[in-house]
Short mmCIF file of all heavy atoms in Angstrom, two decimals:
data_model
loop_
_atom_site.label_atom_id
_atom_site.label_comp_id
_atom_site.label_asym_id
_atom_site.label_seq_id
_atom_site.Cartn_x
_atom_site.Cartn_y
_atom_site.Cartn_z
N MET N 1 104.87 73.37 96.86
CA MET N 1 103.54 72.90 96.53
C MET N 1 102.86 73.94 95.65
O MET N 1 102.73 75.09 96.03
CB MET N 1 102.75 72.69 97.82
CG MET N 1 101.36 72.24 97.61
SD MET N 1 100.59 71.93 99.21
CE MET N 1 99.00 71.50 98.70
N PRO N 2 102.43 73.55 94.46
CA PRO N 2 101.80 74.51 93.56
C PRO N 2 100.41 74.92 94.05
O PRO N 2 99.71 74.14 94.69
CB PRO N 2 101.72 73.76 92.23
CG PRO N 2 101.73 72.33 92.60
CD PRO N 2 102.54 72.23 93.87
N ILE N 3 100.05 76.15 93.74
CA ILE N 3 98.71 76.63 94.10
C ILE N 3 97.75 76.20 93.01
O ILE N 3 97.99 76.40 91.82
CB ILE N 3 98.70 78.16 94.26
CG1 ILE N 3 99.60 78.56 95.43
CG2 ILE N 3 97.30 78.67 94.47
CD1 ILE N 3 99.69 80.05 95.64
N ASN N 4 96.64 75.60 93.40
CA ASN N 4 95.63 75.15 92.45
C ASN N 4 94.87 76.34 91.88
O ASN N 4 94.82 77.41 92.51
CB ASN N 4 94.67 74.19 93.14
CG ASN N 4 95.38 72.92 93.57
OD1 ASN N 4 96.32 72.48 92.94
ND2 ASN N 4 94.93 72.35 94.67
N PRO N 5 94.27 76.18 90.71
CA PRO N 5 93.55 77.31 90.09
C PRO N 5 92.46 77.91 90.98
O PRO N 5 92.31 79.12 91.02
CB PRO N 5 92.95 76.70 88.83
CG PRO N 5 93.81 75.54 88.51
CD PRO N 5 94.30 75.02 89.84
N ALA N 6 91.72 77.07 91.70
CA ALA N 6 90.67 77.61 92.56
C ALA N 6 91.27 78.44 93.69
O ALA N 6 90.77 79.53 94.00
CB ALA N 6 89.81 76.47 93.13
N ALA N 7 92.34 77.95 94.29
CA ALA N 7 92.98 78.71 95.36
C ALA N 7 93.59 79.99 94.80
O ALA N 7 93.56 81.04 95.46
CB ALA N 7 94.06 77.86 96.03
N ASN N 8 94.11 79.92 93.60
CA ASN N 8 94.68 81.12 92.97
C ASN N 8 93.59 82.16 92.74
O ASN N 8 93.79 83.34 93.00
CB ASN N 8 95.34 80.74 91.64
CG ASN N 8 96.18 81.86 91.09
OD1 ASN N 8 96.71 82.66 91.83
ND2 ASN N 8 96.30 81.90 89.78
N ASN N 9 92.42 81.74 92.27
CA ASN N 9 91.31 82.67 92.07
C ASN N 9 90.82 83.24 93.39
O ASN N 9 90.48 84.42 93.48
CB ASN N 9 90.16 81.99 91.33
CG ASN N 9 90.49 81.73 89.88
OD1 ASN N 9 91.33 82.41 89.30
ND2 ASN N 9 89.85 80.74 89.29
N GLY N 10 90.77 82.40 94.42
CA GLY N 10 90.36 82.88 95.74
C GLY N 10 91.34 83.91 96.28
O GLY N 10 90.94 84.94 96.83
N LEU N 11 92.63 83.64 96.12
CA LEU N 11 93.65 84.56 96.58
C LEU N 11 93.59 85.88 95.81
O LEU N 11 93.70 86.96 96.39
CB LEU N 11 95.04 83.93 96.45
CG LEU N 11 96.21 84.75 96.94
CD1 LEU N 11 96.06 85.10 98.41
CD2 LEU N 11 97.50 84.00 96.70
N LEU N 12 93.38 85.80 94.51
CA LEU N 12 93.26 87.00 93.69
C LEU N 12 92.06 87.84 94.12
O LEU N 12 92.13 89.06 94.20
CB LEU N 12 93.14 86.62 92.22
CG LEU N 12 93.12 87.75 91.21
CD1 LEU N 12 94.41 88.56 91.29
CD2 LEU N 12 92.93 87.21 89.81
N SER N 13 90.96 87.17 94.44
CA SER N 13 89.76 87.87 94.90
C SER N 13 90.03 88.58 96.22
O SER N 13 89.61 89.73 96.43
CB SER N 13 88.61 86.87 95.06
OG SER N 13 87.47 87.51 95.55
N ILE N 14 90.74 87.92 97.13
CA ILE N 14 91.08 88.53 98.41
C ILE N 14 91.97 89.74 98.20
O ILE N 14 91.75 90.81 98.78
CB ILE N 14 91.74 87.50 99.35
CG1 ILE N 14 90.72 86.45 99.78
CG2 ILE N 14 92.36 88.19 100.56
CD1 ILE N 14 91.32 85.28 100.53
N GLN N 15 92.98 89.61 97.35
CA GLN N 15 93.89 90.72 97.09
C GLN N 15 93.17 91.92 96.49
O GLN N 15 93.38 93.06 96.91
CB GLN N 15 95.02 90.28 96.16
CG GLN N 15 96.00 89.34 96.82
CD GLN N 15 97.02 88.77 95.83
OE1 GLN N 15 96.78 88.71 94.64
NE2 GLN N 15 98.15 88.33 96.36
N ARG N 16 92.31 91.68 95.51
CA ARG N 16 91.58 92.79 94.88
C ARG N 16 90.62 93.44 95.87
O ARG N 16 90.46 94.66 95.87
CB ARG N 16 90.83 92.29 93.66
CG ARG N 16 91.74 92.02 92.50
CD ARG N 16 90.98 91.64 91.26
NE ARG N 16 91.90 91.40 90.15
CZ ARG N 16 91.59 90.76 89.07
NH1 ARG N 16 90.35 90.28 88.90
NH2 ARG N 16 92.47 90.58 88.11
N GLY N 17 89.98 92.64 96.70
CA GLY N 17 89.09 93.20 97.71
C GLY N 17 89.84 94.06 98.72
O GLY N 17 89.38 95.14 99.09
N MET N 18 91.00 93.60 99.14
CA MET N 18 91.81 94.37 100.09
C MET N 18 92.32 95.67 99.46
O MET N 18 92.35 96.71 100.11
CB MET N 18 92.98 93.53 100.60
CG MET N 18 92.56 92.35 101.46
SD MET N 18 91.62 92.80 102.92
CE MET N 18 92.88 93.64 103.86
N GLN N 19 92.69 95.61 98.18
CA GLN N 19 93.12 96.83 97.49
C GLN N 19 91.97 97.82 97.39
O GLN N 19 92.16 99.03 97.57
CB GLN N 19 93.64 96.49 96.10
CG GLN N 19 94.97 95.76 96.10
CD GLN N 19 95.35 95.20 94.73
OE1 GLN N 19 94.54 95.20 93.80
NE2 GLN N 19 96.57 94.71 94.62
N GLY N 20 90.78 97.32 97.11
CA GLY N 20 89.61 98.20 97.06
C GLY N 20 89.30 98.81 98.41
O GLY N 20 88.95 100.00 98.50
N LEU N 21 89.42 98.00 99.47
CA LEU N 21 89.19 98.53 100.82
C LEU N 21 90.19 99.63 101.15
O LEU N 21 89.82 100.67 101.73
CB LEU N 21 89.28 97.40 101.85
CG LEU N 21 88.07 96.49 101.94
CD1 LEU N 21 88.40 95.27 102.80
CD2 LEU N 21 86.88 97.23 102.50
N GLU N 22 91.44 99.42 100.79
CA GLU N 22 92.46 100.44 101.04
C GLU N 22 92.16 101.72 100.26
O GLU N 22 92.25 102.82 100.80
CB GLU N 22 93.83 99.91 100.67
CG GLU N 22 94.95 100.87 100.96
CD GLU N 22 96.32 100.31 100.62
OE1 GLU N 22 96.44 99.09 100.40
OE2 GLU N 22 97.26 101.11 100.54
N ARG N 23 91.79 101.56 99.00
CA ARG N 23 91.48 102.71 98.16
C ARG N 23 90.29 103.50 98.73
O ARG N 23 90.32 104.73 98.80
CB ARG N 23 91.18 102.23 96.73
CG ARG N 23 90.99 103.31 95.71
CD ARG N 23 90.83 102.74 94.30
NE ARG N 23 89.85 101.66 94.20
CZ ARG N 23 90.15 100.37 94.00
NH1 ARG N 23 91.40 99.98 93.88
NH2 ARG N 23 89.19 99.46 93.92
N ASN N 24 89.25 102.80 99.16
CA ASN N 24 88.08 103.47 99.72
C ASN N 24 88.37 104.11 101.07
O ASN N 24 87.85 105.19 101.38
CB ASN N 24 86.91 102.49 99.83
CG ASN N 24 86.36 102.12 98.47
OD1 ASN N 24 86.23 102.97 97.60
ND2 ASN N 24 86.07 100.86 98.27
N ALA N 25 89.21 103.47 101.87
CA ALA N 25 89.59 104.06 103.15
C ALA N 25 90.35 105.36 102.93
O ALA N 25 90.14 106.35 103.65
CB ALA N 25 90.44 103.08 103.95
N GLN N 26 91.22 105.38 101.93
CA GLN N 26 91.95 106.61 101.61
C GLN N 26 91.00 107.70 101.12
O GLN N 26 91.16 108.88 101.46
CB GLN N 26 93.03 106.34 100.57
CG GLN N 26 94.19 105.54 101.10
CD GLN N 26 95.20 105.16 100.01
OE1 GLN N 26 94.95 105.35 98.83
NE2 GLN N 26 96.31 104.59 100.43
N ALA N 27 90.01 107.31 100.33
CA ALA N 27 89.04 108.29 99.82
C ALA N 27 88.23 108.89 100.97
O ALA N 27 87.96 110.09 100.99
CB ALA N 27 88.12 107.64 98.80
N ILE N 28 87.86 108.05 101.93
CA ILE N 28 87.08 108.54 103.08
C ILE N 28 87.96 109.43 103.96
O ILE N 28 87.54 110.50 104.40
CB ILE N 28 86.51 107.35 103.87
CG1 ILE N 28 85.44 106.64 103.05
CG2 ILE N 28 85.94 107.82 105.21
CD1 ILE N 28 85.01 105.30 103.59
N ALA N 29 89.19 109.00 104.21
CA ALA N 29 90.08 109.76 105.09
C ALA N 29 90.51 111.09 104.47
O ALA N 29 90.82 112.03 105.20
CB ALA N 29 91.31 108.92 105.42
N SER N 30 90.51 111.20 103.17
CA SER N 30 90.98 112.43 102.53
C SER N 30 89.88 113.49 102.41
O SER N 30 90.15 114.59 101.95
CB SER N 30 91.56 112.13 101.15
OG SER N 30 90.53 111.69 100.28
N ARG N 31 88.68 113.17 102.81
CA ARG N 31 87.60 114.16 102.75
C ARG N 31 87.85 115.25 103.78
O ARG N 31 88.32 114.99 104.87
CB ARG N 31 86.24 113.51 103.05
CG ARG N 31 85.89 112.37 102.13
CD ARG N 31 85.51 112.87 100.77
NE ARG N 31 85.07 111.71 100.00
CZ ARG N 31 84.96 111.70 98.71
NH1 ARG N 31 85.22 112.76 98.01
NH2 ARG N 31 84.58 110.62 98.08
N PRO N 32 87.51 116.50 103.44
CA PRO N 32 87.69 117.58 104.42
C PRO N 32 86.76 117.40 105.61
O PRO N 32 85.67 116.83 105.49
CB PRO N 32 87.35 118.84 103.64
CG PRO N 32 86.60 118.38 102.45
CD PRO N 32 86.99 116.96 102.19
N VAL N 33 87.18 117.87 106.76
CA VAL N 33 86.42 117.68 108.00
C VAL N 33 85.76 118.99 108.41
O VAL N 33 85.75 119.36 109.56
CB VAL N 33 87.34 117.17 109.13
CG1 VAL N 33 86.53 116.78 110.35
CG2 VAL N 33 88.16 115.98 108.65
N THR N 34 85.22 119.71 107.47
CA THR N 34 84.53 120.95 107.80
C THR N 34 83.05 120.66 107.98
O THR N 34 82.52 119.66 107.49
CB THR N 34 84.73 121.99 106.68
OG1 THR N 34 84.22 121.45 105.46
CG2 THR N 34 86.19 122.34 106.53
N GLY N 35 82.37 121.53 108.68
CA GLY N 35 80.95 121.32 108.95
C GLY N 35 80.09 121.67 107.75
O GLY N 35 80.54 122.25 106.77
N GLY N 36 78.83 121.30 107.83
CA GLY N 36 77.88 121.63 106.78
C GLY N 36 77.86 120.62 105.65
O GLY N 36 78.66 119.70 105.59
N ASP N 37 76.91 120.80 104.79
CA ASP N 37 76.77 119.92 103.63
C ASP N 37 77.53 120.50 102.47
O ASP N 37 77.09 121.47 101.84
CB ASP N 37 75.30 119.73 103.25
CG ASP N 37 74.54 118.94 104.29
OD1 ASP N 37 75.18 118.09 104.94
OD2 ASP N 37 73.33 119.16 104.44
N GLU N 38 78.65 119.93 102.16
CA GLU N 38 79.46 120.41 101.04
C GLU N 38 79.15 119.56 99.82
O GLU N 38 78.94 118.36 99.93
CB GLU N 38 80.94 120.31 101.38
CG GLU N 38 81.34 121.17 102.55
CD GLU N 38 82.80 121.01 102.89
OE1 GLU N 38 83.54 120.39 102.11
OE2 GLU N 38 83.21 121.50 103.95
N PRO N 39 79.14 120.16 98.64
CA PRO N 39 78.82 119.39 97.43
C PRO N 39 79.82 118.27 97.14
O PRO N 39 79.44 117.24 96.63
CB PRO N 39 78.82 120.42 96.32
CG PRO N 39 79.22 121.71 96.91
CD PRO N 39 79.36 121.55 98.38
N GLY N 40 81.08 118.44 97.49
CA GLY N 40 82.08 117.43 97.18
C GLY N 40 82.28 116.42 98.29
O GLY N 40 83.24 115.68 98.30
N ARG N 41 81.41 116.37 99.24
CA ARG N 41 81.60 115.54 100.43
C ARG N 41 80.68 114.31 100.39
O ARG N 41 80.04 113.96 101.38
CB ARG N 41 81.33 116.37 101.67
CG ARG N 41 81.76 115.71 102.94
CD ARG N 41 81.48 116.61 104.11
NE ARG N 41 81.52 115.86 105.32
CZ ARG N 41 82.55 115.87 106.16
NH1 ARG N 41 83.57 116.60 105.90
NH2 ARG N 41 82.50 115.14 107.25
N ASP N 42 80.63 113.62 99.30
CA ASP N 42 79.80 112.44 99.17
C ASP N 42 80.58 111.22 99.66
O ASP N 42 81.51 110.76 99.00
CB ASP N 42 79.37 112.25 97.72
CG ASP N 42 78.45 111.06 97.55
OD1 ASP N 42 77.78 110.69 98.52
OD2 ASP N 42 78.43 110.51 96.44
N LEU N 43 80.21 110.72 100.82
CA LEU N 43 80.87 109.54 101.38
C LEU N 43 80.13 108.25 101.05
O LEU N 43 80.62 107.17 101.37
CB LEU N 43 80.99 109.69 102.90
CG LEU N 43 81.89 110.80 103.40
CD1 LEU N 43 81.85 110.88 104.92
CD2 LEU N 43 83.31 110.60 102.93
N ALA N 44 78.97 108.36 100.45
CA ALA N 44 78.16 107.17 100.20
C ALA N 44 78.86 106.19 99.26
O ALA N 44 78.89 104.99 99.53
CB ALA N 44 76.80 107.56 99.63
N ALA N 45 79.44 106.69 98.19
CA ALA N 45 80.07 105.79 97.22
C ALA N 45 81.22 104.98 97.82
O ALA N 45 81.24 103.76 97.70
CB ALA N 45 80.54 106.57 95.99
N PRO N 46 82.19 105.61 98.53
CA PRO N 46 83.27 104.80 99.10
C PRO N 46 82.78 103.85 100.19
O PRO N 46 83.31 102.74 100.34
CB PRO N 46 84.24 105.82 99.68
CG PRO N 46 83.86 107.14 99.18
CD PRO N 46 82.49 107.04 98.66
N LEU N 47 81.74 104.23 100.92
CA LEU N 47 81.22 103.34 101.96
C LEU N 47 80.53 102.13 101.36
O LEU N 47 80.73 100.99 101.82
CB LEU N 47 80.25 104.10 102.88
CG LEU N 47 80.89 105.14 103.80
CD1 LEU N 47 79.82 105.96 104.51
CD2 LEU N 47 81.80 104.46 104.81
N VAL N 48 79.75 102.34 100.32
CA VAL N 48 79.08 101.21 99.65
C VAL N 48 80.11 100.32 98.98
O VAL N 48 80.04 99.08 99.08
CB VAL N 48 78.04 101.73 98.63
CG1 VAL N 48 77.50 100.59 97.78
CG2 VAL N 48 76.90 102.43 99.35
N GLU N 49 81.09 100.91 98.32
CA GLU N 49 82.13 100.12 97.67
C GLU N 49 82.94 99.32 98.69
O GLU N 49 83.38 98.21 98.40
CB GLU N 49 83.06 101.03 96.86
CG GLU N 49 82.41 101.59 95.62
CD GLU N 49 83.28 102.60 94.90
OE1 GLU N 49 84.46 102.75 95.27
OE2 GLU N 49 82.77 103.26 93.98
N SER N 50 83.10 99.86 99.90
CA SER N 50 83.80 99.12 100.95
C SER N 50 83.04 97.86 101.33
O SER N 50 83.65 96.81 101.58
CB SER N 50 83.99 100.01 102.18
OG SER N 50 84.90 101.04 101.91
N ARG N 51 81.73 97.94 101.36
CA ARG N 51 80.92 96.75 101.66
C ARG N 51 81.06 95.72 100.54
O ARG N 51 81.14 94.52 100.80
CB ARG N 51 79.44 97.13 101.86
CG ARG N 51 79.18 98.02 103.04
CD ARG N 51 79.50 97.36 104.33
NE ARG N 51 78.56 96.27 104.57
CZ ARG N 51 78.57 95.52 105.65
NH1 ARG N 51 79.44 95.72 106.59
NH2 ARG N 51 77.71 94.54 105.79
N VAL N 52 81.09 96.18 99.31
CA VAL N 52 81.28 95.28 98.17
C VAL N 52 82.66 94.61 98.25
O VAL N 52 82.79 93.39 98.06
CB VAL N 52 81.12 96.04 96.83
CG1 VAL N 52 81.52 95.18 95.66
CG2 VAL N 52 79.69 96.54 96.67
N ASN N 53 83.67 95.40 98.59
CA ASN N 53 85.02 94.85 98.72
C ASN N 53 85.10 93.84 99.86
O ASN N 53 85.78 92.81 99.74
CB ASN N 53 86.05 95.96 98.95
CG ASN N 53 86.18 96.89 97.78
OD1 ASN N 53 86.18 98.10 97.94
ND2 ASN N 53 86.27 96.36 96.57
N LEU N 54 84.40 94.11 100.95
CA LEU N 54 84.37 93.17 102.07
C LEU N 54 83.77 91.84 101.63
O LEU N 54 84.30 90.77 101.94
CB LEU N 54 83.56 93.76 103.23
CG LEU N 54 83.31 92.83 104.41
CD1 LEU N 54 84.62 92.46 105.09
CD2 LEU N 54 82.35 93.48 105.39
N ARG N 55 82.67 91.89 100.89
CA ARG N 55 82.05 90.66 100.38
C ARG N 55 82.98 89.92 99.42
O ARG N 55 83.01 88.69 99.39
CB ARG N 55 80.73 90.98 99.67
CG ARG N 55 79.68 91.55 100.58
CD ARG N 55 79.19 90.52 101.56
NE ARG N 55 78.12 91.09 102.34
CZ ARG N 55 77.96 90.90 103.63
NH1 ARG N 55 78.81 90.14 104.28
NH2 ARG N 55 76.97 91.46 104.27
N GLN N 56 83.76 90.67 98.65
CA GLN N 56 84.71 90.05 97.72
C GLN N 56 85.78 89.29 98.50
O GLN N 56 86.14 88.17 98.13
CB GLN N 56 85.34 91.11 96.83
CG GLN N 56 86.25 90.56 95.77
CD GLN N 56 86.77 91.65 94.84
OE1 GLN N 56 86.62 92.84 95.10
NE2 GLN N 56 87.39 91.24 93.77
N VAL N 57 86.27 89.87 99.58
CA VAL N 57 87.26 89.19 100.41
C VAL N 57 86.65 87.94 101.04
O VAL N 57 87.26 86.87 101.07
CB VAL N 57 87.81 90.15 101.49
CG1 VAL N 57 88.64 89.41 102.52
CG2 VAL N 57 88.63 91.27 100.85
N GLN N 58 85.43 88.06 101.54
CA GLN N 58 84.77 86.91 102.15
C GLN N 58 84.53 85.80 101.13
O GLN N 58 84.69 84.61 101.44
CB GLN N 58 83.44 87.33 102.78
CG GLN N 58 83.62 88.20 104.00
CD GLN N 58 82.31 88.77 104.51
OE1 GLN N 58 81.34 88.93 103.76
NE2 GLN N 58 82.29 89.13 105.79
N ALA N 59 84.17 86.16 99.91
CA ALA N 59 83.95 85.16 98.87
C ALA N 59 85.25 84.45 98.51
O ALA N 59 85.28 83.23 98.33
CB ALA N 59 83.34 85.81 97.63
N GLY N 60 86.34 85.21 98.40
CA GLY N 60 87.64 84.59 98.12
C GLY N 60 88.06 83.63 99.20
O GLY N 60 88.58 82.54 98.93
N ALA N 61 87.82 84.01 100.46
CA ALA N 61 88.15 83.12 101.58
C ALA N 61 87.29 81.86 101.53
O ALA N 61 87.78 80.75 101.83
CB ALA N 61 87.96 83.85 102.90
N ALA N 62 86.03 82.00 101.15
CA ALA N 62 85.15 80.84 101.06
C ALA N 62 85.62 79.88 99.96
O ALA N 62 85.53 78.66 100.12
CB ALA N 62 83.71 81.28 100.79
N VAL N 63 86.12 80.42 98.85
CA VAL N 63 86.63 79.58 97.76
C VAL N 63 87.82 78.76 98.26
O VAL N 63 87.90 77.55 98.04
CB VAL N 63 87.03 80.44 96.54
CG1 VAL N 63 87.86 79.64 95.55
CG2 VAL N 63 85.80 81.01 95.87
N ILE N 64 88.74 79.43 98.94
CA ILE N 64 89.92 78.74 99.45
C ILE N 64 89.53 77.69 100.50
O ILE N 64 90.03 76.57 100.49
CB ILE N 64 90.94 79.75 100.01
CG1 ILE N 64 91.49 80.60 98.87
CG2 ILE N 64 92.07 79.05 100.76
CD1 ILE N 64 92.35 81.76 99.31
N ARG N 65 88.62 78.04 101.39
CA ARG N 65 88.16 77.10 102.42
C ARG N 65 87.49 75.88 101.79
O ARG N 65 87.74 74.74 102.19
CB ARG N 65 87.18 77.81 103.36
CG ARG N 65 86.76 76.97 104.54
CD ARG N 65 85.80 77.70 105.48
NE ARG N 65 86.10 79.11 105.68
CZ ARG N 65 85.36 80.12 105.22
NH1 ARG N 65 84.26 79.88 104.53
NH2 ARG N 65 85.70 81.37 105.44
N THR N 66 86.65 76.10 100.78
CA THR N 66 85.96 75.00 100.12
C THR N 66 86.94 74.08 99.41
O THR N 66 86.83 72.85 99.49
CB THR N 66 84.93 75.54 99.12
OG1 THR N 66 84.00 76.36 99.82
CG2 THR N 66 84.20 74.41 98.41
N GLU N 67 87.92 74.67 98.74
CA GLU N 67 88.93 73.83 98.07
C GLU N 67 89.72 73.01 99.09
O GLU N 67 90.00 71.83 98.87
CB GLU N 67 89.88 74.69 97.25
CG GLU N 67 90.88 73.82 96.50
CD GLU N 67 91.98 74.60 95.84
OE1 GLU N 67 92.44 75.61 96.41
OE2 GLU N 67 92.38 74.20 94.75
N ASP N 68 90.05 73.62 100.21
CA ASP N 68 90.78 72.91 101.25
C ASP N 68 89.96 71.73 101.78
O ASP N 68 90.49 70.63 101.96
CB ASP N 68 91.11 73.88 102.39
CG ASP N 68 91.89 73.22 103.50
OD1 ASP N 68 92.94 72.61 103.21
OD2 ASP N 68 91.46 73.32 104.66
N GLU N 69 88.67 71.95 101.97
CA GLU N 69 87.80 70.86 102.44
C GLU N 69 87.69 69.75 101.40
O GLU N 69 87.67 68.57 101.74
CB GLU N 69 86.42 71.41 102.80
CG GLU N 69 86.43 72.30 104.02
CD GLU N 69 85.12 73.01 104.23
OE1 GLU N 69 84.18 72.85 103.40
OE2 GLU N 69 85.02 73.76 105.22
N MET N 70 87.61 70.14 100.12
CA MET N 70 87.50 69.14 99.06
C MET N 70 88.77 68.30 98.98
O MET N 70 88.70 67.07 98.84
CB MET N 70 87.24 69.81 97.71
CG MET N 70 85.84 70.34 97.56
SD MET N 70 85.56 71.27 96.02
CE MET N 70 86.36 70.31 94.81
N ILE N 71 89.93 68.94 99.07
CA ILE N 71 91.18 68.20 99.03
C ILE N 71 91.28 67.28 100.24
O ILE N 71 91.71 66.13 100.11
CB ILE N 71 92.38 69.17 98.95
CG1 ILE N 71 92.40 69.83 97.58
CG2 ILE N 71 93.69 68.45 99.22
CD1 ILE N 71 93.43 70.93 97.45
N GLY N 72 90.85 67.75 101.39
CA GLY N 72 90.86 66.92 102.58
C GLY N 72 89.96 65.71 102.42
O GLY N 72 90.32 64.59 102.80
N SER N 73 88.81 65.90 101.83
CA SER N 73 87.88 64.78 101.60
C SER N 73 88.47 63.77 100.62
O SER N 73 88.34 62.56 100.79
CB SER N 73 86.54 65.29 101.06
OG SER N 73 85.89 66.08 102.01
N LEU N 74 89.11 64.28 99.57
CA LEU N 74 89.74 63.39 98.60
C LEU N 74 90.86 62.59 99.24
O LEU N 74 91.01 61.40 99.00
CB LEU N 74 90.29 64.18 97.41
CG LEU N 74 89.24 64.71 96.43
CD1 LEU N 74 89.91 65.63 95.41
CD2 LEU N 74 88.53 63.57 95.73
N LEU N 75 91.65 63.23 100.09
CA LEU N 75 92.73 62.51 100.76
C LEU N 75 92.17 61.46 101.71
O LEU N 75 92.71 60.35 101.80
CB LEU N 75 93.62 63.49 101.53
CG LEU N 75 94.50 64.39 100.67
CD1 LEU N 75 95.25 65.39 101.54
CD2 LEU N 75 95.48 63.57 99.85
N ASP N 76 91.09 61.79 102.39
CA ASP N 76 90.47 60.81 103.28
C ASP N 76 89.92 59.62 102.50
O ASP N 76 89.99 58.48 102.94
CB ASP N 76 89.33 61.46 104.08
CG ASP N 76 89.84 62.44 105.11
OD1 ASP N 76 91.06 62.38 105.44
OD2 ASP N 76 89.05 63.27 105.59
N THR N 77 89.37 59.89 101.33
CA THR N 77 88.76 58.83 100.50
C THR N 77 89.82 57.92 99.93
O THR N 77 89.67 56.69 99.93
CB THR N 77 87.95 59.47 99.35
OG1 THR N 77 86.94 60.29 99.90
CG2 THR N 77 87.32 58.39 98.49
N PHE N 78 90.92 58.48 99.43
CA PHE N 78 91.91 57.68 98.74
C PHE N 78 93.06 57.22 99.63
O PHE N 78 93.91 56.46 99.19
CB PHE N 78 92.47 58.44 97.53
CG PHE N 78 91.46 58.61 96.45
CD1 PHE N 78 90.93 59.86 96.16
CD2 PHE N 78 91.02 57.53 95.71
CE1 PHE N 78 89.99 60.03 95.17
CE2 PHE N 78 90.07 57.69 94.71
CZ PHE N 78 89.56 58.95 94.44
N ALA N 79 93.11 57.65 100.87
CA ALA N 79 94.22 57.25 101.74
C ALA N 79 93.92 55.98 102.49
O ALA N 79 92.93 55.44 102.63
CB ALA N 79 94.53 58.36 102.73
#
């Protein structure tokens, strides 16, 4: 069964979001665990980007879910 363009875009969005989450998790985990305020210890950017990546995954899932519902409605209408 071929993947429709909308499902393909949704899947691509999920994949990119997951890759971004992995990249940000690695950036957070690689920070040194020493005390004090260090100049190179900015965790804000990877944390904010993780939230953006999470929304990207959720949006991709919503695209796939919507397409599935539309196809189901079309099958109900024409069957």
Side-chain angles (χ1 to χ4, degrees):
M1 178 176 178
I3 296 178
N4 295 329
N8 192 29
N9 288 335
L11 182 59
L12 185 61
S13 178
I14 291 171
Q15 289 173 337
R16 286 185 179 162
M18 293 301 292
Q19 289 169 351
L21 283 169
E22 183 179 345
R23 186 175 49 251
N24 290 319
Q26 288 175 351
I28 291 168
S30 68
R31 302 287 185 196
V33 188
T34 59
D37 291 330
E38 297 178 11
R41 192 179 163 102
D42 182 26
L43 294 177
L47 289 172
V48 171
E49 289 174 9
S50 292
R51 295 296 292 182
V52 171
N53 295 133
L54 174 64
R55 295 291 185 221
Q56 185 175 11
V57 169
Q58 291 172 335
V63 167
I64 293 172
R65 186 179 322 110
T66 302
E67 183 189 37
D68 181 54
E69 291 171 358
M70 286 175 43
I71 290 173
S73 295
L74 286 172
L75 289 176
D76 290 343
T77 300
F78 291 110

